[in-house]
Amino acid sequence: MAETSPSLLQTDETFRQNDAGAAFVLQSKGEWWHAGFHLTTAIVGPTILTLPYAFRGLGWGLGFLCLTVMGMVTFYAYYLMSKVLDHCEKAGRRHIRFRELAADVLGSGWMFYFVIFIQTAINTGVGIGAILLAGQCIQIMYDELSPNGSLKLYHFIAMVTVVMIFLSQLPTFHSLRHINLGSLLLSLGYSFLVVGACVNAGTSGTAPPKDYSLESSKSARVFSAFSSISILAAIFGNGILPEIQATLAPPATGKMVKGLVMCYTVIFITFYSVAVSGYWVFGNKSNSNIFESLMPDEGPALAPTWVLGLSVVFVLLQLLAIGLVYSQVAYEIMEKKSADTKQGIFAKRNLIPRLVLRTIYMILCGFFAAMLPFFGDISSVVGAVGFIPLDFVLPMLLYNKTYKPPRSSLTYLINISIIVVFTCTGLMGTFSSTRKLVMDAKKFKLFSSEVVN
């Protein structure tokens, strides 16, 4: 194991003495496989169950192409960002926050606020969405067991919120490592169960007719395609790689790449299997959640009840981990000033503010989840506006600014091409997603007991 540079260690130690967000929440004790667990939880979640729906707007050929390109580009982008972080660390400037990295490398004060605004929107949005979907999972199981029961969606959201308040008291990002290992295994578990359920449905006598045709109108096909691309961008996005790399014990150089390889191995296994099996069975009738396709409102379920029930339980448990991961940025922002590094992490002076602030944050997320059960459309807009700048544009800018490759070099041209293509894609995705949000507005009802898809 490489020796830690005394000067680097001293710089990092001095920096953290007056920064409780860094010293406590982003505590640097992890190994590369821990970063792999965190990164996998941040990317491989129940959103992969929307992949057949994304293919519905693209078709087989374009669907495969976009899924593969998104995977390659995001891996490349995260690799470049890791290289930039490693470069800064070797220069004695170890950055543990995305906003500080962007502001330092690009030399712009406004970039600091741009990144923190986008990160806050994404992380809070994911937190709200995780609670909403977890509540929906419990509602699905409840409706199966008690079809005429009196409990509503907001009751289940309140239950999930209480559990999240309890789990959110784990003080550091690093303390989630075992939970996130479980999350990785859960994602593999429900992916295999869903694939098996789709294969069973597709080969059964009750299989729905397969139709892979796209929208009849050319303009509708274009809008559907860009909406699907926005969905893929949101699925692959994470926006917190610097904070995940911050959990690595210094020196972090080279460790994040191993974590990326672990994460993308899981991505390859789960993304392709779910996308192909789901779209193969349901084609252009794919719902935004594969469970809704497997459990239609009319007629019997298209898979064994125990398979669907176990899948829903796995998804529910993983959603708790996802909510915890994305809340870490909010916690380190809050505790940067509210905690005192001169006292222990479990000292009364730090424990009480942590308990109060994290509880309030989770209650707010739970309240908005109950109030806005049509969060899917809002999330697609956030994905286009947020994930594309953070994951498809900024890493290339940061690399070009840090390493200054010649303008005629292949690396520079690839980076600029990705920036241009995904900036245009983000603009079109924002327009398409906003259009869908407006078109679905008539279905929206505050505190509804049904999630609008």
Side-chain angles (χ1 to χ4, degrees):
M1 189 174 183
E3 291 291 329
T4 303
S5 165
S7 59
L8 178 62
L9 192 60
Q10 185 178 6
T11 302
D12 197 50
E13 181 74 21
T14 304
F15 166 72
R16 290 170 184 266
Q17 282 179 355
N18 299 313
D19 189 336
F24 294 159
V25 180
L26 299 180
Q27 196 176 69
S28 301
K29 290 186 175 181
E31 300 297 337
W32 69 264
W33 54 87
H34 298 142
F37 300 159
H38 301 325
L39 191 61
T40 303
T41 300
I43 299 178
V44 187
T47 50
I48 68 174
L49 302 178
T50 66
L51 282 169
Y53 178 77
F55 267 49
R56 169 180 167 175
L58 297 167
W60 279 117
L62 193 57
F64 264 115
L65 177 64
C66 289
L67 182 63
T68 303
V69 168
M70 285 288 185
M72 293 173 63
V73 170
T74 52
F75 182 89
Y76 176 68
Y78 301 149
Y79 171 75
L80 292 188
M81 193 183 299
S82 179
K83 293 279 288 181
V84 172
L85 287 163
D86 289 348
H87 181 275
C88 292
E89 180 176 343
K90 289 177 181 177
R93 307 187 327 270
R94 188 183 185 200
H95 290 296
I96 61 172
R97 299 179 176 98
F98 203 146
R99 57 190 182 273
E100 292 168 355
L101 172 69
D104 177 30
V105 174
L106 299 178
S108 173
W110 72 265
M111 184 58 68
F112 178 94
Y113 298 103
F114 171 77
V115 171
I116 198 171
F117 173 78
I118 295 294
Q119 267 196 318
T120 301
I122 289 174
N123 295 350
T124 305
V126 172
I128 294 170
I131 292 175
L132 172 61
L133 293 176
Q136 187 185 21
C137 286
I138 301 178
Q139 184 185 39
I140 290 171
M141 293 186 287
Y142 175 77
D143 289 344
E144 287 294 315
L145 296 173
S146 179
N148 299 314
S150 60
L151 295 181
K152 305 296 183 184
L153 177 61
Y154 56 82
H155 292 122
F156 304 116
I157 288 174
M159 296 176 194
V160 174
T161 303
V162 170
V163 175
M164 288 297 294
I165 289 171
F166 174 76
L167 292 175
S168 68
Q169 302 310 318
L170 290 167
T172 69
F173 204 154
H174 180 62
S175 64
L176 304 181
R177 62 194 182 281
H178 299 115
I179 290 177
N180 289 338
L181 169 59
S183 169
L184 186 155
L185 297 176
L186 287 168
S187 68
L188 291 171
Y190 66 71
S191 295
F192 293 149
L193 287 170
V194 166
V195 170
C198 288
V199 171
N200 177 77
T203 55
S204 67
T206 57
K210 297 178 177 63
D211 184 359
Y212 307 113
S213 60
L214 302 176
E215 301 273 3
S216 56
S217 164
K218 185 176 181 180
S219 60
R221 286 200 300 272
V222 171
F223 285 127
S224 295
F226 277 103
S227 293
S228 294
I229 290 171
S230 295
I231 291 171
L232 292 176
I235 291 173
F236 274 103
N238 78 87
I240 54 173
L241 186 139
E243 285 79 6
I244 291 174
Q245 186 155 331
T247 65
L248 291 167
T253 304
K255 294 178 182 176
M256 197 63 193
V257 176
K258 296 178 182 178
L260 277 169
V261 171
M262 173 192 286
C263 174
Y264 273 76
T265 300
V266 178
I267 285 175
F268 179 79
I269 294 170
T270 56
F271 280 38
Y272 281 93
S273 61
V274 171
V276 171
S277 62
Y279 188 61
W280 169 68
V281 179
F282 300 106
N284 61 14
K285 298 296 188 295
S286 298
N287 285 307
S288 59
N289 187 323
I290 194 67
F291 287 142
E292 294 178 7
S293 299
L294 291 167
M295 293 186 288
D297 292 334
E298 298 180 0
L302 299 177
T305 302
W306 73 267
V307 171
L308 296 175
L310 190 59
S311 301
V312 171
V313 171
F314 284 0
V315 168
L316 168 63
L317 293 174
Q318 199 207 15
L319 283 166
L320 301 178
I322 291 170
L324 291 174
V325 163
Y326 277 94
S327 63
Q328 298 306 305
V329 173
Y331 296 159
E332 66 89 359
I333 291 173
M334 292 187 294
E335 293 175 28
K336 184 174 182 179
K337 297 298 183 183
S338 69
D340 183 1
T341 57
K342 296 180 176 64
Q343 301 189 45
I345 194 170
F346 293 108
K348 186 178 179 181
R349 162 66 182 80
N350 293 326
L351 183 62
I352 293 176
R354 181 166 67 242
L355 178 65
V356 172
L357 290 172
R358 294 189 181 195
T359 298
I360 291 173
Y361 178 80
M362 280 301 168
I363 288 174
L364 288 173
C365 286
F367 174 77
F368 282 107
M371 187 174 72
L372 307 172
F374 42 85
F375 202 73
D377 282 352
I378 297 176
S379 295
S380 64
V381 176
V382 172
V385 174
F387 281 119
I388 286 181
L390 289 191
D391 295 321
F392 297 88
V393 177
L394 273 178
M396 289 70 184
L397 279 176
L398 295 173
Y399 183 88
N400 284 355
K401 185 74 173 179
T402 299
Y403 287 92
K404 297 180 175 56
R407 297 200 171 194
S408 59
S409 68
L410 182 61
T411 299
Y412 182 86
L413 295 175
I414 289 174
N415 290 350
I416 291 297
S417 298
I418 291 173
I419 291 170
V420 171
V421 168
F422 280 94
T423 297
C424 295
T425 302
L427 292 173
M428 282 299 298
T430 301
F431 179 76
S432 301
S433 301
T434 305
R435 173 178 174 270
K436 187 174 186 303
L437 181 67
V438 172
M439 290 174 65
D440 288 346
K442 61 181 179 293
K443 304 177 187 176
F444 299 159
K445 182 181 178 183
L446 299 181
F447 298 101
S448 170
S449 192
E450 298 293 332
V451 176
V452 177
N453 295 297

